[in-house]
Amino acid sequence: MTKSSGNTDVKKKSGIIEYFKGVKLEMKKVVWPTRKELGSFTVVVLCTCAAFALLFWGLDSGVLAAIKAICF
């Protein structure tokens, strides 16, 4: 049987601190979009979502119509 020492708690705390130091360092390297770019990207995402929603709605409606034609 081995006794557990408090050393593991120190390593965990040190590991967490080092992790967040690394996160802070990496976040400094991030190139954030300008307000104009952010607006453009938002429009692109919304349009893409709308296009896929319409595509899936069309496919779903087509499959439903085919099933109704076959079964009823």
Side-chain angles (χ1 to χ4, degrees):
M1 235 183 180
T2 59
K3 290 186 177 181
S4 177
S5 66
N7 194 17
T8 57
D9 291 338
V10 172
K11 285 183 181 178
K12 285 182 183 177
K13 287 181 183 176
S14 174
I16 291 171
I17 292 170
E18 290 300 316
Y19 171 76
F20 283 108
K21 283 183 181 178
V23 169
K24 186 176 178 181
L25 183 66
E26 290 299 318
M27 290 302 286
K28 288 181 180 180
K29 297 177 185 178
V30 174
V31 179
W32 298 99
T34 64
R35 191 181 265 309
K36 186 176 180 180
E37 288 173 331
L38 185 62
S40 303
F41 297 157
T42 301
V43 169
V44 169
V45 168
L46 292 175
C47 290
T48 303
C49 288
F52 275 102
L54 289 172
L55 174 71
F56 289 131
W57 173 77
L59 288 172
D60 185 50
S61 296
V63 169
L64 182 61
I67 290 172
K68 282 183 178 179
I70 293 170
C71 294
F72 300 110

